[in-house]
Amino acid sequence: MGSQVKFDCKNETCLIDEDILVRVNENYGILGWRASNYTAYWGKTYNEGRSSRLGTIHSKEKILRMTPISQVLVSGTIPRTFDARLKWPNIISKPKDQGWCGASWVFSTVSVVSDRFAIMTNGKDQTFLSPQQLLSCSRNQRGCKGGQLTRAWTFIRKYGLVSESCYPWTSSISECKIRRLKNQLTAQCPTYISDITSGKLHRVGPVYRIAGELGIMHEILYSGPVQGIILNDFS
């Protein structure tokens, strides 16, 4: 760790614990991987990471109101291994850094939508959509302090999202810079943020839910990325 300050992680859990790093890496031969220190997390507590690196607010009632999709699946039709990067090479988007903003509800939704557009168009539309627009313009959410997935999907269905290049990510909540219009095909980009003058609005159809491991695997195999929520872990 060089000359970095060592934090006391006994009284308050740290995101990066030097002692754990050492113990993990001592067992590299058994585990087959090494743990690393990520500078952005150094000196941050677990509670800071939980509030600023997560952010999805669960609503069991709203999730269960989503249209359920039932599938009749035959055991053995799902391969033992699957890598989306191999099935859809150069199409699946790379992980994005949300910064110290509790916007996992934004990034997971936008990533799924962007990847599915790319898959449906066979790579012709590989637009990564704007997390900032969803963060700043989706009403009745908590911005960097959290948000609900159902409301995020409803916003995209009604108003659509422009590209990230049109409305770039700033890692903070700010006033919405794009008008919410239901019937528009394009929207004016914030001129002081982007050099692009306008962007195409991407919308989605009704959201649905799938239960069961086989059903989820089948969905990923044939349709692309999904969002996962543990329904029995609500407070």
Side-chain angles (χ1 to χ4, degrees), residues 1 6-10 12-23 35 37 41-42 44:
M1 308 300 286
K6 183 173 181 178
F7 292 87
D8 182 5
C9 299
K10 295 180 180 179
E12 188 167 9
T13 304
C14 297
L15 283 179
I16 298 291
D17 187 326
E18 188 175 16
D19 292 334
I20 293 178
L21 289 178
V22 172
R23 290 201 301 272
N37 166 36
Y41 298 156
W42 183 254
K44 299 286 187 179

Side-chain angles (χ1 to χ4, degrees), residues 95-152:
K96 298 280 187 176
D97 186 359
Q98 68 191 62
W100 292 97
C101 169
S104 63
W105 62 277
V106 169
F107 275 82
S108 63
T109 305
V110 170
S111 295
V112 168
V113 175
S114 300
D115 286 349
R116 288 210 169 199
F117 268 115
I119 291 170
M120 286 189 298
T121 62
N122 198 27
K124 293 180 180 179
D125 186 348
Q126 296 190 45
T127 305
F128 192 84
L129 302 177
S130 173
Q132 189 65 46
Q133 182 185 358
L134 185 56
L135 178 75
S136 295
C137 302
S138 180
R139 293 173 175 170
N140 300 318
Q141 303 275 44
R142 301 180 189 176
C144 284
K145 295 183 179 180
Q148 294 185 11
L149 299 182
T150 49
R151 290 176 177 172

Side-chain angles (χ1 to χ4, degrees), residues 3-96:
S3 60
Q4 290 178 325
V5 177
K6 183 173 181 178
F7 292 87
D8 182 5
C9 299
K10 295 180 180 179
N11 297 325
E12 188 167 9
T13 304
C14 297
L15 283 179
I16 298 291
D17 187 326
E18 188 175 16
D19 292 334
I20 293 178
L21 289 178
V22 172
R23 290 201 301 272
V24 168
N25 291 333
E26 285 176 347
N27 293 289
Y28 168 74
I30 299 174
L31 299 174
W33 59 275
R34 295 183 184 275
S36 299
N37 166 36
Y38 292 87
T39 304
Y41 298 156
W42 183 254
K44 299 286 187 179
T45 66
Y46 169 79
N47 288 331
E48 288 176 316
R50 190 179 183 203
S51 64
S52 298
R53 285 284 177 171
L54 299 177
T56 299
I57 300 172
H58 298 301
S59 173
K60 182 176 182 178
E61 180 183 354
K62 290 182 179 180
I63 293 295
L64 291 177
R65 284 206 300 262
M66 291 180 177
T67 302
I69 300 295
S70 299
Q71 297 169 318
V72 178
L73 302 175
V74 180
S75 179
T77 59
I78 303 296
R80 293 183 61 84
T81 63
F82 174 72
D83 190 333
R85 297 169 299 177
L86 299 179
K87 182 169 183 177
W88 300 295
N90 302 316
I91 290 181
I92 299 297
S93 60
K94 295 180 179 180
K96 298 280 187 176

Side-chain angles (χ1 to χ4, degrees), residues 7 33 53 101 111 113 153 155 164 167 189 207 234:
F7 292 87
W33 59 275
R53 285 284 177 171
C101 169
S111 295
V113 175
W153 284 99
F155 176 88
E164 185 180 28
Y167 199 167
C189 301
V207 67
F234 291 90

